[in-house]
Every structure is written in structure tokens, then in C-alpha cells.
Amino acid sequence: MRESAGIAGTFDDLARLLRDNADRLAGEIITEIVEKVPTYAAVPRASLHRSLRQHIETASRSLTDGQVPEQVQDVSVAAERARAGIPIEHVLLAIRLSFQALREFVIRAATGLGVEPAIQLEGVRILWEVNDLVSREYAVAHRDEDLDMARTAETRRVEFVRRLLRDGLATPDMGLHAASFGLVATARYRAFRARPGTGESAAQLLQAILRWGTTHRLAPFGAVVEGEAVGILTGEGLPGEGPTVGVGPAVELTQIPESHRVAGQMIEVGLEFGRTGPQTLENLSLRVAVASEHGVGDHLVDRILGPLLAQGEFGQELVSSLDAFLAAGMNTAAAAKALVIHPNTVRYRINQAKHLSGRKLESAQDISEVWWALRRHEWKSRARRLRDSGG
């Protein structure tokens, strides 16, 4: 606060000089800002001039009052800078350069008026406080605008992904939106779809998929839609390891809804079989049919595995050995190694399984039907365990 009428009169004179020289000061300060803060070169001159006039007016009024105001009347310039992509650090540097120039002007003017050093110091203190006030309020306004833009951008992304996976490029505007997101209409993409597990949010799952896709140069693009992590990837081949996510076939964007449908089926089947990592038609293969053709599978289980399972615990060993035997390409030694038992034990069990099931495993039909029965049995066993555990 001012302590005497003399100080009040001096500050009035300094405030008047600031206002009288506002246009010249603004021009000089703008030149310095553009030179020292390169991002400001793209800011319209009129916008820079308006912000400088506001700073000069705030400084003048504060000197007249002997104290800084409670708030800056207009901080819309900070929002403009945020929308222009100018970092807050650059905005604060521009403010610092502005008030440095204003303080230097006031010191020169006060010296010319013969103002005592103690009174000059009080005026400089007021201008420092104005500098701090403007910096704080501009920082808040800039941050709020950044948040609003981020929310708006995320809303646009979510809505675009939702429409793309549902309709493809069914309307002209979707083609424009796709281009704005860097997508190429004639390129081939694979839809992905994943569901968060226990203790994981859809947003966390999406970020894991995006990191995985970026690491493997799959150009992932997605969003959280209706509680699921969904989107698209590039590339025909996928790494075997990664998040548990259903991935559809590679198609052009006009056909992406079908790829999305398949991706949903892949994640459903993959989860039903307790599998992890990327789930595709290539690696799920006939498991997709096993999970959907219940009648066929149940018939094969009854005919082929029923006689084995009727043997109780020994029957379970026969089924496990038969499964390992097929997984090993009907190589007895490899199956024995996987089961950690002697090869002769494998041979005995396989012979017993052949005898009880009536399948010699010599024809392609026999082998495929036994495999189908095993996969259906696996699917039903897992479903039963989940049901019993309440999962």
C-alpha cells in the first residue's frame, strides 16, 4: 500500500507515462519476444499487441492503486496460446520478458522524474507482484484449456473409433476424419478388441495394447468404447506374445466392421479356452468351431472320449496322454517328455485309448475328430470350473 500522498502522486505519474507510451512499448516488447521465443513467431501480431496492452493496463492500474488487483480481468489470451500449441513455459517466458521491459521503463521514467530510490523500489516491487499474478492466472487458464482440448480430442477419437468399427467409411465425413487421424483408406488394418480382467481398467488395458503395438510397429489406434479396449492395427503378421486381445483379419477400412466382429469372436473363444496373448483365426483355428458347434463337439466327446472317461482316474490319464500325443505330432518321445513319463508308458496309454475309443489314429478323419473331441472336452471342463468357482 502507498504510505504518503507523495508516493501516490509519483505512481500516478508513472502510470500515466506507461499508458502514454503503451503502443511504442508494446511494439518493442513484441519484437523482443518473437526474437527470444520462436514459437511466438506464428502468433498474430494483433493478438500479441492486445496481450501487451492488457499487461500495461494492469501494471498502470496497480501503480495507481499501490497494490496488485485480486485477479486479472481477462486471461483469454492464455487459452488462445494453448489452442495455438504454445507450451506454458514459453507463455511464462513471454510474460517475464514483458514485465522486465515494463520495470526497466518505470525505473528510467522514475529516475528522470527524480524519484527517490526507496520509492522506485516500491514501484518495482508492485510490478514484480503483478508479474507473479499474471503468470499464475495465465498458467491456470492455459492448463484448463489444455485439459478441455484433451477431453475434446479424446471425445472425438472415441466417437470416430465407435463409428469406424460399426460402419466403416460409410459416409464421406468418415473418410475425412480417418485422414485427420493419419489413417489411409486403402491401407489394410486389423481390428482389435479386448476386455479388462480383474483389477484392470479398460484404459489401462488400452495403454498396454498401444505400447505393445507401437513396440512392434503395428501403428495402433484405438479408444475405450463401452468398457472395452478397441481399435485397429496394421500388419499381416502379429507377434505371439503380448496382451490378451482378439484380432480380426486384415482388411481395408471400408470392411473394418467385419474385422471387428471377428476380433470379438476371437477374444471370446480365446478367453473360453483360457488362452493368453493375441488371439486370431490363425492361432485359434478350429477352436472357433469347437466353441460354437456344441452339438458336433458333444457328439464326438461322447463317442470318442466317453469310453475313456468312464475309466475314472485312469481315463483322465488316457485323455491327457492322447492330447499330448497329438500336440507332439504323434511323436511318442516328444509326448513322453512333455508329460514327464517314460515313452513306454505313453505307448501303453495310447494303445489303450485307441482300443477304448475305436480310433486307430491312422486316417486324417480319425485324427481330426479326436482332436475336436479333446478341444470340446477342454472347453467344457474349463467352463465347469469357472461355473463352480463363480468366475
Side-chain angles (χ1 to χ4, degrees), residues 293-313:
E293 296 295 336
H294 296 176
V296 174
D298 289 343
H299 174 72
L300 292 174
V301 169
D302 290 342
R303 286 185 55 195
I304 298 172
L305 301 185
L308 280 65
L309 296 171
Q311 305 302 309
E313 185 176 345

Side-chain angles (χ1 to χ4, degrees), residues 9 39 90 97 154 160 252 300 353 375:
T39 53
H90 294 187
L97 292 171
E154 182 59 20
F160 171 75
E252 292 185 1
L300 292 174
R375 297 286 68 76

Side-chain angles (χ1 to χ4, degrees), residues 25-44:
L25 284 170
E28 292 174 355
I29 295 171
I30 288 171
T31 298
E32 182 181 13
I33 289 174
V34 171
E35 179 182 335
K36 295 182 177 179
V37 190
T39 53
Y40 269 68
V43 178

Side-chain angles (χ1 to χ4, degrees), residues 132-199:
D132 291 343
L133 172 69
V134 172
S135 295
R136 285 196 306 273
E137 299 212 0
Y138 267 50
V140 171
H142 190 284
R143 180 202 63 200
D144 289 346
E145 187 65 21
D146 269 344
L147 291 173
D148 285 343
M149 290 191 300
R151 283 191 289 266
T152 299
E154 182 59 20
T155 299
R156 285 182 59 244
R157 174 186 289 263
V158 170
E159 184 57 24
F160 171 75
V161 171
R162 185 200 311 274
R163 290 180 60 191
L164 177 68
L165 297 178
R166 184 190 64 200
D167 305 323
L169 301 182
T171 58
D173 68 305
M174 282 298 290
L176 295 175
H177 289 319
S180 73
F181 284 112
L183 305 178
V184 180
T186 56
R188 293 173 68 81
Y189 298 90
R190 306 181 70 160
F192 69 80
R193 188 171 178 178
R195 300 172 186 168
T198 304

